Amino acid sequence: SFALPLYAVYSWRYNLASALRDCAAIYSRIISGQSVTDDEHLKLLNRLNAAMLQLRSLMPSVSKEVRISMTELDAIQRHLRMCISTLEILGNTRPDPRDEQGMARLQLALKTQHRQIRVQLIAMARALQTGAAQRLERASPVPAEQPSPDTPVHSALDGYRMLTAQLAANIDEMHARLAKSVKAWNI
């Protein structure tokens, strides 16, 4: 970063954008019933873990170059870590993909949330990579899930719903932090 001014900022932005895209890909795999133990899924998780290490090492230079506090950068990256952790838990708590009825109920019950989470992850990634800050303004918050009238009060999907709500809230907070600091990192 010392030799090439603003190199760290661009590396940080592109690595974070790539990580958000990988989160969206993992999330799509989970909700579509694809394997969470195959090589493709594990490759995505390994790439996310490597990105987290790179992002951590860039923080001091990014903070210095664009005058965003280390605390703020750490908060953004904490949201990414929480997103990754929640995705791993969601992958292991979803209904068995061989249970076609269970997966269909899951996909139907959380259809709106699934779409909005994916849209918001991709919008943040595009804003970081292209500098199109209006993407952060356009991304809508994830709506709260409304249980359908035929859903039992305590269904097998309650835990999954709660984790999805936690993921949505975490993504909303990350989105808000990126939007608040856009003038600093969008150079």
Side-chain angles (χ1 to χ4, degrees):
S1 141
F2 180 75
L4 297 170
L6 304 180
Y7 172 76
V9 175
Y10 287 110
S11 293
W12 180 81
R13 283 174 50 184
Y14 289 176
N15 283 335
L16 185 55
S18 177
L20 290 170
R21 280 192 176 88
D22 285 346
C23 285
I26 288 173
Y27 189 67
S28 292
R29 291 179 61 82
I30 292 169
I31 63 172
S32 67
Q34 294 180 30
S35 173
V36 294
T37 58
D38 69 359
D39 288 342
E40 180 64 26
H41 189 81
L42 296 176
K43 186 171 92 174
L44 285 168
L45 282 174
N46 288 336
R47 201 163 58 199
L48 277 170
N49 288 327
M52 287 298 302
L53 290 174
Q54 289 174 337
L55 289 168
R56 171 73 48 201
S57 69
L58 290 169
M59 282 176 49
S61 296
V62 172
S63 178
K64 181 179 172 185
E65 288 176 1
V66 293
R67 292 175 177 74
I68 296 177
S69 72
M70 288 284 286
T71 305
E72 185 63 21
L73 288 172
D74 188 54
I76 291 169
Q77 291 181 203
R78 186 173 45 253
H79 287 297
L80 178 62
R81 280 193 310 272
M82 288 172 49
C83 182
I84 295 167
S85 297
T86 306
L87 287 171
E88 287 187 79
I89 295 169
L90 284 173
N92 292 312
T93 59
R94 71 175 180 191
D96 186 343
R98 295 172 293 199
D99 176 10
E100 292 178 14
Q101 289 180 338
M103 282 302 293
R105 277 194 305 275
L106 168 77
Q107 291 166 345
L108 181 63
L110 298 170
K111 183 179 180 178
T112 303
Q113 289 74 20
H114 289 324
R115 183 180 181 288
Q116 286 299 106
I117 287 171
R118 185 162 157 51
V119 163
Q120 203 162 16
L121 285 168
I122 296 297
M124 287 188 292
R126 286 183 179 156
L128 284 161
Q129 192 160 17
T130 66
Q134 66 273 19
R135 291 191 181 276
L136 292 174
E137 295 165 8
R138 275 192 275 164
S140 59
V142 179
E145 182 251 334
Q146 300 297 323
S148 63
D150 59 343
T151 303
V153 174
H154 297 287
S155 74
L157 298 177
D158 283 349
Y160 189 91
R161 284 185 180 136
M162 287 178 13
L163 283 170
T164 301
Q166 180 61 43
L167 177 63
N170 182 50
I171 290 170
D172 283 345
E173 290 174 27
M174 184 180 199
H175 174 265
R177 286 192 179 273
L178 285 172
K180 185 176 96 176
S181 62
V182 72
K183 288 183 181 174
W185 57 258
N186 191 14
I187 45 179

